[in-house]
Amino acid sequence: MDLDIIDLDPKNNLGFKLMANQAAQTTQTNRDQIEDILFKQGLLTSDQLSAIKLESINSGQPIDKILVQHNLVPLDKLTQAKAQLLNVPFIKLEGKAISADILNLIPEPAARRYQIIPFDRREDELMVAMVDPLDIQIIQFIEKRSGFRVKPFLALGDDILKAIRDQYAQNLTSEVTSALREVEEVKPEEVQEQGPEMIREAPVSNIINQLLEYAVKTRASDIHIEPQDDRTRVRYRIDGILQEKILLPKGVHEALISRVKILAVLKIDEKRLPQDGRFTFNYGSNEVDLRISTVPTVFGEKVVMRLLPKSSAAPSLFELGLRGTSLRNLEAQLLRTHGIILICGPTGSGKTTTLYSILTKVSTTKVNVVTIEDPVEYQIPGVNQVQVNPQVGLTFASALRSFLRQDPNIIMVGEIRDTETADLAIQAALTGHQVFSTVHTNSAAGAPPRLLDMGVEPFLLTSSLYAAVGQRVVRKICPKCRVEFVAIPEVVENIKTVLGKLLPQSAVNGSLKLFKGKGCNFCATTGYLGRIGIFESLIVTDAIAKLILEHASSSIIEKEAIASGMITMKQDGYLKVLEGITTLEEVLRVAQD
């Protein structure tokens, strides 16, 4: 609808009276009082207040323009003060997911042209973020277009434009919008009656495609489709952090889940038990394997899709983030032809990726490499990879027994979970095989006590365990918006305490300069882009072997390892902070004691 031909008859405008009253109150005198609000909030000093009033009188410019020119007040604080002056609420849209049925009420071209975006709805009231909440013509346009009474909110222009770009352009394309209209009426019983063909042909497949395409474009590792009381939430795990991106009408949830189940060859009518499956998705030149897991919740079935790109090769150990002493220690142990090397860390710390990098490095035509994994996430050329299948009796332990009859040189066990697997891995290492595996411990020093707790004999462990590598993953600072700043004294003191003798000579004297990301379009305003590992490599020396025989705790083993020259994960992280690779907050988030 063209705003130039809108009828401004108050009878035809549901919000006309409200806006007219607000407009009448917003006189030049009131607008100039914005500086008094900022002064009362402590954002302006009395000297600044006098100076800007004088400049406004001399130049004839409004106060808010002078404040922006001199950068005296942050733009969001200034906008909040404007909202208070205009008697309208202020809204921050960053990180806010908007339901598709609400976005459908205003076309994207109109939202972009007039810098408006609807973000919520309550009964007959539509909440709309605007740069000018007193624009009566736009208010009337929205009300006629949507059929709802508009409640305007003031928001930053850049905030609105970013929300439009994220919500319309990236998340909900025109195909998804049209598909939503068609599938909202699809009922679960219709899916059961008409069978899989009905779902394959339904527009709901477009929604699933859009969700997957967005995941590939944003480098997401997981997609969560979660039913809630009144809607369905879609979240993406990007660089290790879950981000809420889309809210869909609850009416399409059953159709979405059924579509995913058909793709993963799962039972559509089984909603009481968890199910697992997988399928492949192609997007341009990208081929992605998806692992699917469904679980029943109180509001319906939840689906998690893990994305495993086929085309991505395993990174080198240096690319993972292994540096200096940690890298040299690990590479020295890889030259051995027998013994166990363990990768340690909690779920999601990148252990499997490190194992794949190691296998890529040691796998040649001269050695026979076999793996048992749950599941096989990446296919490595020249490596014999086996996936566990408990339903037919193929477990880590049973596979290990078979491997020993396959003339292996190198064996990779996805995870040591129980006593039987631990004993078999130890026996394989003692009989001349090189074994790589993972254990769920918080540090490298926690690996020996964990295996002892599983019932492994101490003398066998000291004879077979050569190294344990502890790791975490941290987000890297976005290179496009990285800025430098001077660290405050408390932070400087903390860095010096943690690093000790490892502190670079250039940082010993004077102030420390650190880095952070401001946030830009390239990194979706997060300030981070990509991830890197922080590591610690514990080598089992004679002193540590003695401690293992004495059943020493992980803290005692760690002290001995540090005395022998081990750099801890936290220290490795702090060194990467000084290099400008990551931030102190990220290191403390994953490696705080």
Side-chain angles (χ1 to χ4, degrees):
M1 181 182 294
D2 192 339
L3 295 189
D4 294 334
I5 62 173
I6 285 180
D7 179 11
L8 293 182
D9 182 356
K11 295 179 182 178
N12 296 333
N13 185 359
L14 299 176
F16 184 90
K17 291 182 180 180
L18 171 66
M19 301 310 300
N21 289 338
Q22 289 177 337
Q25 294 171 6
T26 311
T27 61
Q28 178 67 33
T29 304
N30 280 343
R31 190 171 71 246
D32 287 349
Q33 291 174 351
I34 192 171
E35 70 274 16
D36 298 319
I37 295 175
L38 295 169
F39 175 69
K40 290 176 183 178
Q41 293 176 347
L43 297 170
L44 287 177
T45 65
S46 56
D47 291 340
Q48 289 173 328
L49 182 63
S50 302
I52 59 175
K53 282 186 175 181
L54 181 61
E55 184 175 342
S56 178
I57 294 171
N58 293 333
S59 65
Q61 291 183 328
I63 294 289
D64 52 357
K65 188 174 182 180
I66 294 172
L67 290 169
V68 172
Q69 286 177 347
H70 294 291
N71 198 25
L72 292 174
V73 178
L75 195 55
D76 60 334
K77 298 295 184 183
L78 178 61
T79 308
Q80 287 183 49
K82 282 184 181 179
Q84 182 178 336
L85 195 64
L86 298 175
N87 196 28
V88 296
F90 173 79
I91 182 70
K92 275 190 173 183
L93 297 169
E94 183 178 351
K96 187 175 184 63
I98 303 174
S99 179
D101 54 344
I102 293 175
L103 285 175
N104 291 344
L105 296 173
I106 297 179
E108 181 186 352
R112 192 176 295 278
R113 180 178 179 184
Y114 302 116
Q115 293 190 57
I116 56 175
I117 187 167
F119 62 88
D120 203 355
R121 186 179 70 195
R122 292 171 193 165
E123 297 179 352
D124 65 338
E125 195 172 53
L126 182 65
M127 283 70 168
V128 182
M130 309 174 63
V131 290
D132 184 4
L134 300 183
D135 193 320
I136 297 173
Q137 287 187 315
I138 293 180
I139 294 289
Q140 188 180 33
F141 162 68
I142 299 170
E143 290 183 338
K144 285 191 173 184
R145 179 71 172 77
S146 66
F148 291 92
R149 182 166 57 88
V150 167
K151 181 176 181 180
F153 284 69
L154 182 63
L156 290 168
D158 289 345
D159 202 10
I160 292 176
L161 291 175
K162 181 184 180 302
I164 291 171
R165 182 176 62 251
D166 290 347
Q167 301 293 338
Y168 285 101
Q170 293 182 350
N171 292 347
L172 295 163
T173 62
S174 57
E175 289 85 356
V176 173
T177 303
S178 62
L180 278 171
R181 294 196 189 102
E182 295 185 41
V183 300
E184 279 181 350
E185 301 303 321
V186 174
K187 296 179 173 57
E189 54 269 22
E190 293 177 3
V191 174
Q192 299 303 324
E193 291 173 4
Q194 300 183 38
E197 288 302 321
M198 177 262 189
I199 293 295
R200 286 196 185 98
E201 296 170 1
V204 72
S205 61
N206 287 335
I207 300 177
I208 296 297
N209 287 340
Q210 295 300 322
L211 297 183
L212 294 175
E213 287 177 12
Y214 181 72
V216 174
K217 287 188 287 187
T218 56
R219 303 168 293 101
S221 61
D222 300 86
I223 307 172
H224 293 239
I225 303 177
E226 303 169 308
Q228 296 182 314
D229 187 18
D230 58 345
R231 58 188 60 186
T232 292
R233 176 173 67 174
V234 181
R235 293 192 291 172
Y236 292 84
R237 189 175 295 280
I238 302 172
D239 290 335
I241 305 296
L242 272 175
Q243 300 179 21
E244 185 179 277
K245 291 293 184 179
I246 310 171
L247 294 174
L248 297 171
K250 187 64 179 286
V252 305
H253 182 78
E254 292 286 352
L256 287 176
I257 301 301
S258 296
R259 176 61 181 165
V260 173
K261 284 183 173 181
I262 287 171
L263 291 170
V265 197
L266 302 178
K267 296 178 182 178
I268 298 178
D269 57 347
E270 180 55 80
K271 302 178 182 180
R272 299 167 301 172
L273 296 173
Q275 296 187 70
D276 296 299
R278 62 191 309 157
F279 66 91
T280 300
F281 175 72
N282 292 293
Y283 176 62
S285 59
N286 298 296
E287 188 176 10
V288 181
D289 267 341
L290 288 108
R291 275 174 29 208
I292 310 302
S293 173
T294 70
V295 294
T297 72
V298 292
F299 295 122
E301 284 186 285
K302 174 183 175 179
V303 167
V304 175
M305 296 187 274
R306 166 65 59 89
L307 283 81
L308 305 167
K310 282 187 175 182
S311 56
S312 47
S316 67
L317 294 174
F318 183 80
E319 289 170 341
L320 286 178
L322 272 160
R323 311 278 175 85
T325 305
S326 297
L327 180 59
R328 288 195 298 272
N329 287 344
L330 180 57
E331 287 183 330
Q333 299 307 313
L334 294 180
L335 296 176
R336 293 176 178 265
T337 57
H338 57 89
I340 293 181
I341 295 177
L342 295 175
I343 310 298
C344 313
T347 301
S349 59
K351 302 186 297 296
T352 303
T353 303
T354 301
L355 279 182
Y356 282 137
S357 298
I358 290 174
L359 289 182
T360 302
K361 183 177 179 66
V362 300
S363 177
T364 67
T365 56
K366 299 179 180 179
V367 293
N368 178 25
V369 183
V370 290
T371 76
I372 176 66
E373 307 171 52
D374 182 21
V376 174
E377 294 191 3
Y378 298 98
Q379 295 176 359
I380 307 174
V383 175
N384 305 287
Q385 296 173 269
V386 178
Q387 181 164 311
V388 299
N389 188 351
Q391 294 178 348
V392 297
L394 181 58
T395 63
F396 284 117
S398 63
L400 262 174
R401 288 194 193 90
S402 300
F403 283 174
L404 295 177
R405 296 189 292 272
Q406 287 282 318
D407 185 31
N409 299 99
I410 298 169
I411 299 173
M412 191 268 269
V413 183
E415 182 185 345
I416 294 179
R417 299 175 178 174
D418 50 49
T419 301
E420 187 179 12
T421 306
D423 286 337
L424 288 169
I426 295 288
Q427 292 301 324
L430 291 173
T431 53
H433 304 91
Q434 194 172 30
V435 179
F436 301 109
S437 189
T438 69
V439 290
H440 280 87
T441 59
N442 289 326
S443 64
R450 175 62 55 85
L451 293 178
L452 292 176
D453 289 342
M454 289 182 185
V456 175
E457 293 292 341
F459 68 92
L460 294 178
L461 185 59
T462 56
S463 303
S464 57
L465 181 62
Y466 288 158
V469 178
Q471 70 176 80
R472 299 287 192 281
V473 285
V474 295
R475 292 181 291 173
K476 294 193 294 184
I477 298 172
C478 173
K480 299 289 185 180
C481 61
R482 192 179 78 155
V483 293
E484 188 179 72
F485 68 97
V486 177
I488 61 175
E490 292 85 351
V491 171
V492 173
E493 191 60 34
N494 176 254
I495 291 175
K496 289 181 177 179
T497 301
V498 171
L499 289 181
K501 296 179 181 180
L502 297 174
L503 189 71
Q505 189 61 39
S506 58
V508 173
N509 301 317
S511 58
L512 277 177
K513 291 184 178 180
L514 305 180
F515 299 86
K516 64 180 179 181
K518 290 192 303 181
C520 62
N521 293 336
F522 197 65
C523 62
T525 70
T526 61
Y528 296 98
L529 188 69
R531 292 191 290 174
I532 195 169
I534 56 175
F535 297 87
E536 59 185 19
S537 294
L538 182 148
I539 305 303
V540 180
T541 60
D542 291 340
I544 290 178
K546 183 180 178 182
L547 291 175
I548 293 174
L549 289 171
E550 296 171 354
H551 286 260
S553 67
S554 59
S555 58
I556 295 175
I557 292 174
E558 184 173 73
K559 286 180 182 178
E560 176 58 38
I562 292 172
S564 302
M566 182 184 81
I567 297 174
T568 66
M569 277 186 288
K570 192 172 183 180
Q571 289 175 327
D572 186 34
Y574 274 42
L575 290 172
K576 289 181 169 71
V577 169
L578 295 181
E579 291 179 54
I581 296 173
T582 187
T583 63
L584 204 60
E585 292 80 7
E586 272 297 289
V587 175
L588 294 176
R589 179 176 68 85
V590 302
Q592 183 64 285
D593 295 334

